[in-house]
Amino acid sequence: MTKRFKGIAASDGVAIGKVYLFEKTEIILNEENIHESDVEKELNSLNRAIKEYSNELKNRETTTDAEDEVRNAHIELVSDPSLIEMASDKIKNSLQNAELALHTTIQEMASVFEMLDDEYLRERAADYRDIGENIMYKLKGIAPKTLSSLDDDYIIVAEELTPTDTSTMDKDHVLGLVMELGGKTSHSSIIAQTLGIPAVVGMKDIRSNLKNDDFIILDALEGVVIVNPDEKTIADYEAKFASIKANKELAEKYKFEKPVTLDGRSVEVVSNIGGIEDLKLALEDGAEGVGLFRTEFLYMEGNDFPTEEYQFSVYKEAAELLEGKPLIIRTLDIGGDKGLDYFEFPKEENPFLGWRALRIGFDRKDILRTQLRAILRASAFGDVKILLPMIISVQEIQTVQEYIEEFKSELRDEGHDFNENIEVGIMIETPASVFVAEDLIQNCDFFSIGTNDLTQYILAVDRGNEKISHLYDYFNPAVLRAIKQVIDASHKYGKWTGMCGSMASDVQATYLLLGMGLDEFSSVSSKVGLIKSVINNAKLSEAEKFAEKVLSLSQIDDIRVLLKEKDDELHS
């Protein structure tokens, strides 16, 4: 009997084949406390295990840049002094054995990220749990089960696959991945995307409905697993598989092309990044620059606010890697869902509407000063721009501009080089910024639309609330008309508008946004080639008529029908 199960699409594609149920090696934690006389022995055991795993990581062979990125990120996490310090403190002061000290330390470090609303940052908790698990194997002297040697082609089904599992799996025999846990921005999912392996996550209880060698279809476009499909379903999916293959070839063909419409309209297709490794991957995928550098990571990876020198070194490296391509750096967007374990935020009933982003910078000028000085100094090494989050008034822009002029004066006196004419833009992510867009654009150089928050605030829909998630839709006419209003406001004053929210990565929205006049698409790097393919095969004049028609509609369902028809036409 055919059964269907729904999850979250994490890596595009379709797979048809047999099930391999992967069960992790069980770890039974020793929770007994130790005597003071055992402290030194436990500290030595912990240090030995960390050193063994660190050496293993350094010697691990990788086949893709994404795997290399994960390995380097894990080497950095294992080398973090706070890990050994926190675990050692628990051994010395709480008399926890090495296993328990490691476990509680990893739990604490991971929980900081798990509480965040930002999916990209939240998924970094899995990396902490992964290194903790591998160090634990070393502590206990256990050889873990792996997927490194498979005897046939399989679709792997597991509760969760760590980045280590996916980095070391037998890639020649893995057709697809199905996980009960995990998210689409986890490192495991990113590795699957890079390898072109279809993956679906969030498949709760799927393992209890499967056994080894069951025949299934994995639809990682819709996030669906079909168990025991009939012949018609198999035939339908074989056709779908062919279409996916064609899309991949299309993305590969266009990723290094200049995005220009058939009637000569040039736009930019850039990428969102969280750090240097993301940037390297984006450049390999054909991104023409960075439309959003999320700097939160620099603040979340240590035990204190990052220094000006450290931030400068990161921004400078990014600018140099880009070789003159644009690098848009967003100032610290912390608060709301994103916290810091070394900085106490006030208790707020509505943190998303509270003390966050630049509102913190205005109250803590020292934090903003450190970052803006670092960005200014990095601007001497490339086309660096400043992006300000959560702006709702002209007064706020003018205040930051005054700060920037003050910091420029400091840097001149100190003999530092910087771009005197550095561009400053603002995020459009609140209804207020839409309503006064014409006033704002006269006081800055560009807009970048953050559709994630903008959609949430315009529709008054909490995007993290599952009960009303169906209402959260950036194709809602209210959101589309707001986007159009913002783009038109920037063009009226000879400025430009980009988009760095999730909508910019939705290839089905590309043609519409092109017709609405969007100047820059800042997407996840894996979508760069496909976005370019839409742009390069479109006529702006026709896209504008299409956008006008969509904007005249008042029903989301009608809008989606038009988008689907246009998508089918573009890819036929």
Side-chain angles (χ1 to χ4, degrees):
M1 178 179 167
T2 300
K3 292 182 179 179
R4 289 176 177 257
F5 299 89
K6 188 80 172 73
I8 301 166
S11 177
D12 289 354
V14 169
I16 303 173
K18 295 184 297 183
V19 167
Y20 182 97
L21 291 172
F22 179 61
E23 298 291 339
K24 302 278 289 184
T25 302
E26 184 180 8
I27 294 176
I28 300 174
L29 184 66
N30 175 9
E31 299 188 47
E32 292 184 7
N33 278 13
I34 59 173
H35 297 290
E36 288 188 13
S37 58
D38 294 322
V39 166
E40 198 63 34
K41 182 184 76 173
E42 295 298 304
L43 288 172
N44 289 337
S45 294
L46 178 65
N47 282 305
R48 173 190 54 77
I50 290 175
K51 186 175 181 180
E52 282 184 19
Y53 180 53
S54 179
N55 289 335
E56 183 180 294
L57 276 173
K58 290 172 184 175
N59 294 321
R60 179 185 295 168
E61 293 184 5
T62 58
T63 57
T64 68
D65 290 313
E67 290 174 300
D68 198 45
E69 174 193 344
V70 170
R71 183 189 63 180
N72 292 339
H74 284 202
I75 288 172
E76 190 174 328
L77 293 179
V78 172
S79 305
D80 185 355
S82 60
L83 170 63
I84 189 71
E85 288 170 8
M86 290 171 66
S88 298
D89 181 70
K90 289 174 172 54
I91 293 172
K92 290 184 282 190
N93 298 322
S94 301
L95 295 180
Q96 293 183 1
N97 66 68
E99 290 180 21
L100 184 58
L102 173 66
H103 174 75
T104 52
T105 297
I106 292 295
Q107 289 288 96
E108 289 170 6
M109 297 177 97
S111 65
V112 171
F113 286 88
E114 284 176 333
M115 290 186 294
L116 305 179
D117 184 65
D118 186 299
E119 184 180 16
Y120 181 87
L121 296 174
R122 189 172 64 242
E123 290 296 344
R124 302 290 75 80
D127 293 293
Y128 277 104
R129 296 195 187 283
D130 189 10
I131 65 165
E133 181 179 90
N134 282 283
I135 297 169
M136 189 70 75
Y137 287 139
K138 302 298 182 189
L139 266 177
K140 298 181 80 69
I142 294 174
K145 294 177 185 174
T146 72
L147 293 165
S148 60
S149 181
L150 300 172
D151 60 5
D152 204 350
D153 293 344
Y154 291 105
I155 296 173
I156 308 301
V157 181
E159 179 182 24
E160 186 173 28
L161 293 172
T162 66
T164 298
D165 294 328
T166 46
S167 292
T168 59
M169 67 188 177
D170 183 354
K171 300 168 186 67
D172 292 335
H173 289 306
V174 174
L175 303 175
L177 304 174
V178 178
M179 291 176 256
E180 294 186 342
L181 305 176
K184 61 184 178 182
T185 57
S186 70
H187 268 140
S188 293
S189 296
I190 291 169
I191 290 171
Q193 292 162 18
T194 304
L195 294 168
I197 295 175
V200 174
V201 298
M203 274 278 180
K204 295 179 181 178
D205 303 322
I206 185 69
R207 290 179 301 160
S208 62
N209 289 278
L210 291 172
K211 61 182 183 297
N212 280 320
D213 293 329
D214 272 350
F215 189 75
I216 66 172
I217 293 174
L218 167 60
D219 181 347
L221 296 173
E222 302 296 331
V224 171
V225 167
I226 304 170
V227 181
N228 298 320
D230 56 34
E231 289 184 10
K232 182 181 181 304
T233 304
I234 294 172
D236 289 344
Y237 271 94
E238 284 175 343
K240 199 170 188 177
F241 184 83
S243 173
I244 292 165
K245 184 180 178 183
N247 267 348
K248 285 185 177 178
E249 291 171 353
L250 199 62
E252 192 66 25
K253 175 183 176 182
Y254 282 96
K255 69 179 183 179
F256 292 123
E257 294 292 319
K258 287 291 180 187
V260 183
T261 65
L262 295 172
D263 45 359
R265 162 80 157 124
S266 294
V267 295
E268 286 189 324
V269 182
V270 294
S271 188
N272 301 330
I273 67 168
I276 297 299
E277 295 305 321
D278 287 348
L279 173 55
K280 292 175 182 177
L281 185 61
L283 290 173
E284 288 169 10
D285 283 336
E288 301 181 304
V290 171
L292 172 64
F293 188 152
R294 299 183 182 95
T295 59
E296 291 74 56
F297 247 148
L298 302 183
Y299 289 77
M300 302 177 81
E301 63 186 15
N303 298 316
D304 203 350
F305 288 101
T307 64
E308 178 182 324
E309 286 303 319
Y310 176 65
Q311 291 191 64
F312 165 64
S313 69
V314 175
Y315 304 149
K316 175 177 176 284
E317 183 178 359
E320 290 176 334
L321 282 170
L322 283 163
E323 298 179 328
K325 299 182 183 75
L327 171 62
I328 300 177
I329 303 174
R330 183 174 67 186
T331 60
L332 180 61
D333 189 7
I334 208 75
D337 59 314
K338 300 188 282 281
L340 301 171
D341 56 7
Y342 53 81
F343 183 70
E344 187 172 349
F345 287 85
K347 298 289 184 197
E348 296 179 296
E349 288 193 18
N350 294 299
F352 281 98
L353 307 180
W355 196 57
R356 55 175 294 200
L358 267 179
R359 296 168 185 178
I360 296 174
F362 290 136
D363 288 343
R364 287 290 305 272
K365 185 180 174 182
D366 57 316
I367 298 173
L368 189 58
R369 175 179 180 272
T370 298
Q371 183 168 37
L372 287 174
R373 279 175 54 98
I375 296 172
L376 283 166
R377 289 172 59 191
S379 70
F381 298 88
D383 184 14
V384 176
K385 309 178 198 296
I386 298 170
L387 182 61
L388 307 174
M390 282 294 286
I391 288 286
I392 61 171
S393 70
V394 169
Q395 182 182 356
E396 289 176 331
I397 300 177
Q398 291 176 342
T399 299
V400 178
Q401 295 278 22
E402 289 169 6
Y403 289 168
I404 290 172
E405 290 306 314
E406 176 187 333
F407 304 148
K408 282 181 179 179
S409 179
E410 292 175 359
L411 294 173
R412 283 190 208 98
D413 292 343
E414 294 167 16
H416 291 296
D417 292 330
F418 59 89
N419 179 5
E420 289 279 1
N421 300 310
I422 189 170
E423 291 184 23
V424 179
I426 68 167
M427 293 279 291
I428 298 293
E429 50 191 339
T430 67
S433 61
V434 175
F435 296 145
V436 296
E438 285 199 23
D439 297 327
L440 296 174
I441 199 62
Q442 294 176 72
N443 288 272
C444 67
D445 297 298
F446 64 93
F447 286 151
S448 185
I449 302 173
T451 52
N452 300 352
D453 270 345
L454 184 64
T455 302
Q456 174 172 250
Y457 293 140
I458 285 180
L459 302 181
V461 173
D462 179 359
R463 55 193 167 108
N465 187 331
E466 292 183 5
K467 288 186 178 296
I468 55 173
S469 60
H470 62 287
L471 298 175
Y472 179 84
D473 191 334
Y474 45 64
F475 289 125
N476 185 294
V479 179
L480 294 181
R481 292 171 194 176
I483 291 170
K484 179 61 174 168
Q485 182 176 331
V486 169
I487 293 170
D488 288 347
S490 68
H491 291 176
K492 179 178 178 180
Y493 291 91
K495 309 290 180 66
W496 60 274
T497 293
M499 180 180 288
C500 58
S502 296
M503 190 179 186
S505 300
D506 187 342
V507 180
Q508 201 169 72
T510 302
Y511 190 78
L512 170 62
L513 292 171
L514 178 69
M516 290 168 70
L518 191 69
D519 302 286
E520 177 223 58
F521 295 76
S522 189
S523 72
V524 295
S525 65
S526 60
K527 296 296 178 70
V528 166
L530 281 176
I531 291 169
K532 287 184 179 182
S533 75
V534 173
I535 294 165
N536 287 26
N537 288 285
K539 282 188 176 179
L540 180 62
S541 56
E542 293 176 0
E544 287 173 338
K545 292 175 185 175
F546 177 78
E548 189 176 339
K549 184 175 182 180
V550 170
L551 288 166
S552 71
L553 298 174
S554 58
Q555 298 283 343
I556 296 177
D557 289 345
D558 294 339
I559 290 171
R560 286 197 171 275
V561 167
L562 270 186
L563 292 172
K564 179 67 167 58
E565 288 175 353
K566 178 55 66 175
D567 188 59
D568 290 343
E569 177 190 324
L570 290 169
H571 293 95
S572 60

